[in-house]
Amino acid sequence: MSTLIAPAREVVTAADRVAAARRRISIGETLGQTMMMAWRALKKMRRNPEQFFDVALQPILFTAMFAFIFGGAIAGDVQSYLPLMIPGILAQTVLTTCMATGTQLREDMEKGVFDRFKSLPIARIAPLAGPMVADLLRYTIAATLTFGMGLVMGYRPGGGAGGVLAAILLAIFTGWSLAWVFTWVGTIARSAQAVQGISMMILFPLTFLSNAFVPVETLPGWLAAFVRINPVSHLVTAARDLANRAVVSGEVAWTILACLIVMAIFAPLSVRSYKRHM
Amino acid sequence: MSITELGRTGGGPAPNGGTDLAVRAEGLMKTFGEHRAVDGIDLHVRPGEIFGVLGPNGAGKTTMLRMLATLLKIDAGRAEIFGVDVAGNPHVIRQLVGVTGQYASVDENLTARENLWLFSRLQGIAAPRARRIGTELLGQFGLEEAADKPVAQFSGGMRRRLDLAASLITRPPLIFLDEPTTGLDPRTRGQMWDTIRGLVTDGCTVLLTTQYLDEADQLADRVAVIDHGRKVAEGTPDELKTAVGNSTLQLQLAEPGEVPAAVEVVRRVLGSDPVISPERGRLNVALDQADLAADVLIALRTAGVSISSVSVAKPSLDEVFLALTGHETDEHDETGTEENR
Ligand SMILES: Nc1ncnc2c1ncn2[C@@H]1O[C@H](COP(=O)(O)OP(=O)(O)OP(=O)(O)O)[C@@H](O)[C@H]1O
Ligand SMILES: [Mg+2]
């Protein structure tokens, strides 16, 4: 510890440092810092693998459960319900996965290391966006398992491998964009429990008031109206078209548009309230 | 050459030779709800010195440091670091200041080496250099053996060392240390002191807070004493001691019950009150001249107050604190040895 006074070291000069200091952060630096934060989040996931339990279990349990509970009532038999249901489960698992983003961010923000992140000359968005990049891995696992479980139960997607892959990619993109809503909740709520509560209140209407599990035609008018504008409905329809028929419908564009709007609103809001936390 | 001597020279030639102060704060203020945590503090820290901020729990030390480090908004007043406005250029300030907070701010889920790697890379240091700096710092702070263990398994002292190492990655010209030795054992504490003195030899300026009076005395070139968000005194440790009196007569009464009588006698002889020390039956009497001690002792003898021991000493910063704030330093309203969270 006492070898700090190494003779070879040149002395720190404050005036030079002030002159050399950069005034703002470039886009390139922001991306690099975000990737470092993603690296950190991945390391954390690897050391706490229990984080993957919900991601892994939910698609498996839900697929089996929903198929047997609703399958008979809605589509007559399980086999014909699967093409309708699997894209719905896909949307739901991806959304549940992105809900965890907010809770984990909140827990993380209460740790000492966030104090250091705040004191470093780095982009304020990096500590928020980094974990979300790492979460792409979780979405991928959740989406793949959903389809895998569907295949096991006898689902034979008409869209082939290409259609399924496209549906998975779209679901991942949607999950990633909607995660900004939960990230924002993570930065405004007082505790991790509060984040959990608020996120549930956002998540349930989004998934259940969509066409994920029931055809819209069976719903009363006012409910059908909300279901039609819900971005999750667009995702579900787009994913059905892709996976079952390999058709890139206008719903894909609607989904992407809805996601971009959500991001444009909630990414700046999140950064703003993260800054206010200081 | 001993490290101690190096440290005490207080930086020698000012590293930037310029007129800019390392820290210039005027009328700094922070209010939490109704409570004014920092209430108009002025601070002038010269380049190349170790400046100590001394105060009891809740005095506002951490709040003040966090405002200067851009971690908290400055409610009123202004602050400059090396001539750069803190509120106006937070990004520049963050490049100039290394912050070691009161609680270790390193990542529990990463190893020591990974922590240093993360913070280096975040600050734009290229991979090979980041790796080298990591190894170097781990060596300097005696963490080589634990380098690849997760920080969650570290002891409090190891975390503190890693935390300081992480603040030194870019060798910032100004370093904030918030209670750097709280919770360290005496040996580790001594090592930390050596490290801090070493920073100054490297050309850094150090602003540290402490509740330990001997720490300020040992390390700091100049000290500001703060209490209830206000600065109550400032100067070199020696100046502060002298302000209280050139020397102190320390009296241990045979009968603790005779304290009021002794206070009465001292007041009659010197015209001022002694400081009643937290220990039972202990009085500290500030003296302008050491020979006044004899007058006090004779008067006590005449009054029939018996004394079990007597000494004349330079006042400690403890007494400085008592005299300046009118209360003792060990008024713990929180647990004193909060470790890292
Ligand atoms: N975020 C906050 N919200 C509300 N009050 C706060 C906050 N931070 C600090 N305070 C209050 O401000 C006062 C000063 O706190 P501060 O942490 O600056 O003291 P300190 O001198 O660092 O004490 P210690 O030696 O215990 O670390 C305290 O009364 C504290 O309760
Ligand atoms: Mg403090």
Side-chain angles (χ1 to χ4, degrees), chain B residues 257-275:
Chain B
E258 289 182 336
V259 168
V263 169
E264 188 54 45
V265 170
V266 172
R267 187 182 294 150
R268 203 174 62 227
V269 177
L270 297 175
S272 63
D273 280 3
V275 178

Side-chain angles (χ1 to χ4, degrees), chain A residues 92-166:
Chain A
Q92 202 214 12
T93 26
V94 164
L95 248 93
T96 322
T97 310
C98 73
M99 190 184 85
T101 311
T103 325
Q104 284 180 4
L105 176 73
R106 179 74 254 176
E107 279 169 7
D108 218 13
M109 276 173 70
E110 276 155 24
K111 301 219 176 92
V113 69
F114 259 72
D115 253 3
R116 186 170 297 281
F117 292 153
K118 286 175 191 167
S119 76
L120 291 179
I122 58 172
R124 304 289 98 176
I125 200 171
L128 306 181
M132 292 178 59
V133 173
D135 276 345
L136 290 176
L137 179 65
R138 289 155 42 97
Y139 301 138
T140 310
I141 293 175
T144 312
L145 278 178
T146 307
F147 273 103
M149 189 62 195
L151 289 177
V152 168
M153 297 192 55
Y155 174 44
R156 295 292 171 264
V164 168
L165 191 65

Side-chain angles (χ1 to χ4, degrees), chain A residues 1-5 9-15 17-18 21-25 33 36-37 39-40 43-44 47-48 112-113 115-122 124 278, chain B residues 3 15 66 71-72 82 84 91-92 94-96 99 105-107 109-110 114 117-119 121-123 140 161 163 166-167 170-173 191-192 195 199 202-203:
Chain A
M1 218 168 141
S2 50
T3 50
L4 201 69
I5 312 158
R9 293 187 104 150
E10 88 285 18
V11 158
V12 179
T13 50
R17 292 305 189 83
V18 175
R22 277 152 307 167
R23 303 277 136 177
R24 55 184 72 253
I25 307 165
Q33 289 156 5
M36 271 320 288
M37 289 295 188
W39 173 83
R40 163 183 180 261
K43 283 270 170 195
K44 197 173 139 193
R47 300 218 164 105
N48 304 286
V113 69
D115 253 3
R116 186 170 297 281
F117 292 153
K118 286 175 191 167
S119 76
L120 291 179
I122 58 172
R124 304 289 98 176
M278 307 192 172
Chain B
I3 293 155
R66 289 177 69 88
L71 295 174
L72 273 178
F82 296 115
V84 180
H91 186 58
V92 175
R94 292 180 192 130
Q95 292 168 70
L96 298 175
V99 185
S105 46
V106 286
D107 197 327
N109 291 299
L110 301 181
E114 286 166 348
W117 167 257
L118 172 68
F119 300 130
R121 296 289 288 143
L122 278 174
Q123 293 178 88
Q140 277 164 20
R161 265 148 44 200
D163 203 23
S167 310
T170 58
R171 309 231 290 133
Q191 288 176 343
M192 187 62 95
T195 307
L199 295 176
D202 271 9

Side-chain angles (χ1 to χ4, degrees), chain B residues 32 35 37 56-63 102 179 211 334:
Chain B
F32 293 115
H35 178 69
N57 283 139
K61 306 181 293 291
T62 300
T63 308
Q102 186 164 359
E179 300 192 15
Q211 317 181 17
E334 300 143 67

Side-chain angles (χ1 to χ4, degrees), chain A residues 212-270:
Chain A
F213 304 113
V214 283
V216 191
E217 300 76 51
T218 62
L219 300 171
W222 59 273
L223 209 52
F226 177 82
V227 169
R228 283 205 179 86
I229 58 159
N230 185 348
V232 176
S233 299
H234 292 297
L235 168 66
V236 172
T237 315
R240 278 178 190 151
D241 293 344
L242 287 168
N244 296 331
R245 297 188 289 132
V247 168
V248 184
S249 59
E251 291 294 319
V252 174
W254 281 118
T255 310
I256 293 176
L257 181 71
C259 290
L260 291 178
I261 293 173
V262 167
M263 260 197 287
I265 296 171
F266 285 96
L269 276 182
S270 306

Side-chain angles (χ1 to χ4, degrees), chain B residues 31-33 35-38 55-66 72 102-103 178-179 209-211 226 333-335 338:
Chain B
T31 316
F32 293 115
H35 178 69
R36 191 156 280 176
V38 174
N57 283 139
K61 306 181 293 291
T62 300
T63 308
M64 189 193 74
L65 226 52
R66 289 177 69 88
L72 273 178
Q102 186 164 359
Y103 307 100
D178 198 357
E179 300 192 15
T209 73
T210 179
Q211 317 181 17
I226 69 168
D333 44 343
E334 300 143 67
T335 45
E338 295 144 303

Side-chain angles (χ1 to χ4, degrees), chain B residues 272-320:
Chain B
S272 63
D273 280 3
V275 178
I276 300 166
S277 160
E279 293 102 42
R280 266 165 66 79
R282 237 340 248 283
L283 293 180
N284 292 326
V285 185
L287 301 170
D288 289 338
Q289 299 150 14
D291 14 346
L292 286 173
D295 299 1
V296 174
L297 291 176
I298 291 165
L300 285 172
R301 184 63 191 265
T302 318
V305 178
S306 64
I307 292 162
S308 64
S309 78
V310 164
S311 64
V312 178
K314 258 189 152 321
S316 75
L317 277 173
D318 257 313
E319 284 143 330
V320 174

